[in-house]
Amino acid sequence: MPTFQAVLLDLDGTLLDSIPDLAHAANAMRIELGMPALHEDIVATFVGKGVDNLVRRALAGSLHAADPEPAEFERARESFYRHYHLVNGDKATIFNGVIEGLKAMREQGLKLAVVTNKPTEFTIPLLQRTGLAGFFQEIVCGDTCERRKPDPDQMFYACERLGVTPDQALAIGDSVNDAQAGRAAGIQVLAVPYGYNEGQDVHGLDVDGIVASIAEAAEWIARKNAEQQQA
């Protein structure tokens, strides 16, 4: 049997550059609440641990900030969700190598799933709007399971839905969340270097390899599976 039969891919920062839309919604929220807009590069460092964490960080204007008062957070969250629904997918772009890589993985007979901390209400429209939805047999979102990455729940759930064991799956992401979730689930992990790892270099992550693109990841998988078949 091949080493890998399924691939679990993160969404934001791995398949799609969604920072322009996320930054727009975050700044629209801040302006609505009487605060100045933040530079897009700053907002990019707030991405990687789910929408609610993005709201907290954007509200504080800092990656490391005390939790806001519950009423303040709920007001900010409602504002962000409202603004993000208006622009979700407007300026999001597919990273280079993603389409080629997904096609190559599909041609290898691999089962594909998205595993993201983004809520379902944003994930499904974004995948449909960017034309990526058809590549995936399963879409596991931030509200699909009780716990989200870096907890392994979503990884286990995706494997179960795809009919594979964790050691038959490969996770691909761009952040410490993806690396920790994969490790906790007993899944090998590849990282891409172009995403949103809270401003940190992915070379510091505990992963099995770093690939320049999803297309390169497909080549990595093909090579590993070929080696396994020859062993």
Side-chain angles (χ1 to χ4, degrees):
M1 293 289 287
T3 300
F4 300 111
Q5 298 181 33
V7 187
L8 317 180
L9 297 110
D10 179 51
L11 182 58
D12 297 291
T14 300
L15 300 177
L16 293 172
D17 180 6
S18 50
I19 288 296
D21 296 333
L22 290 167
H24 177 96
N27 280 325
M29 174 200 81
R30 283 179 58 88
I31 291 167
E32 185 175 306
L33 297 176
M35 296 180 285
L38 299 169
H39 194 280
E40 191 173 285
D41 289 347
I42 298 297
V43 178
T45 67
F46 298 162
V47 177
K49 283 189 165 63
V51 171
D52 284 358
N53 273 307
L54 171 58
V55 170
R56 290 188 186 93
R57 292 166 172 179
L59 185 60
S62 171
L63 188 61
H64 307 289
D67 285 344
E69 292 296 322
E72 181 186 18
F73 171 73
E74 286 304 321
R75 187 165 60 251
R77 186 179 187 274
E78 185 280 326
S79 176
F80 177 88
Y81 271 58
R82 176 163 30 85
H83 287 294
Y84 190 41
H85 271 299
L86 294 175
V87 299
N88 183 22
D90 275 2
K91 295 182 179 179
T93 56
I94 301 170
F95 285 115
N96 290 337
V98 166
I99 298 297
E100 299 90 333
L102 293 177
K103 286 181 177 178
M105 291 176 188
R106 191 166 60 184
E107 287 167 3
Q108 292 177 46
L110 296 164
K111 301 174 181 179
L112 304 179
V114 166
V115 180
T116 176
N117 279 352
K118 187 187 286 292
T120 302
E121 64 187 278
F122 298 125
T123 300
I124 302 301
L126 182 57
L127 286 170
Q128 292 172 338
R129 190 165 187 182
T130 54
L132 293 179
F135 283 105
F136 302 102
Q137 285 105 309
E138 293 295 332
I139 300 170
V140 182
C141 304
D143 47 1
T144 302
C145 301
E146 184 177 346
R147 291 177 291 273
R148 303 175 299 178
K149 295 183 289 186
D151 188 276
D153 273 15
Q154 292 169 292
M155 298 291 187
F156 288 135
Y157 181 83
C159 288
E160 181 181 346
R161 295 287 296 176
L162 292 175
V164 300
T165 57
D167 62 346
Q168 295 171 326
L170 175 74
I172 305 176
D174 66 301
S175 74
V176 64
N177 259 15
D178 303 310
Q180 290 177 347
R183 281 287 179 263
I187 294 172
Q188 291 193 54
V189 184
L190 293 182
V192 293
Y194 50 72
Y196 317 139
N197 188 33
E198 299 177 330
Q200 302 300 307
D201 190 332
V202 295
H203 288 82
L205 297 178
D206 176 19
V207 294
D208 297 284
I210 296 173
V211 290
S213 65
I214 300 302
E216 188 174 307
E219 296 171 0
W220 189 95
I221 295 167
R223 187 168 62 251
K224 293 291 185 180
N225 280 348
E227 290 171 359
Q228 175 68 17
Q229 289 173 336
Q230 292 168 5

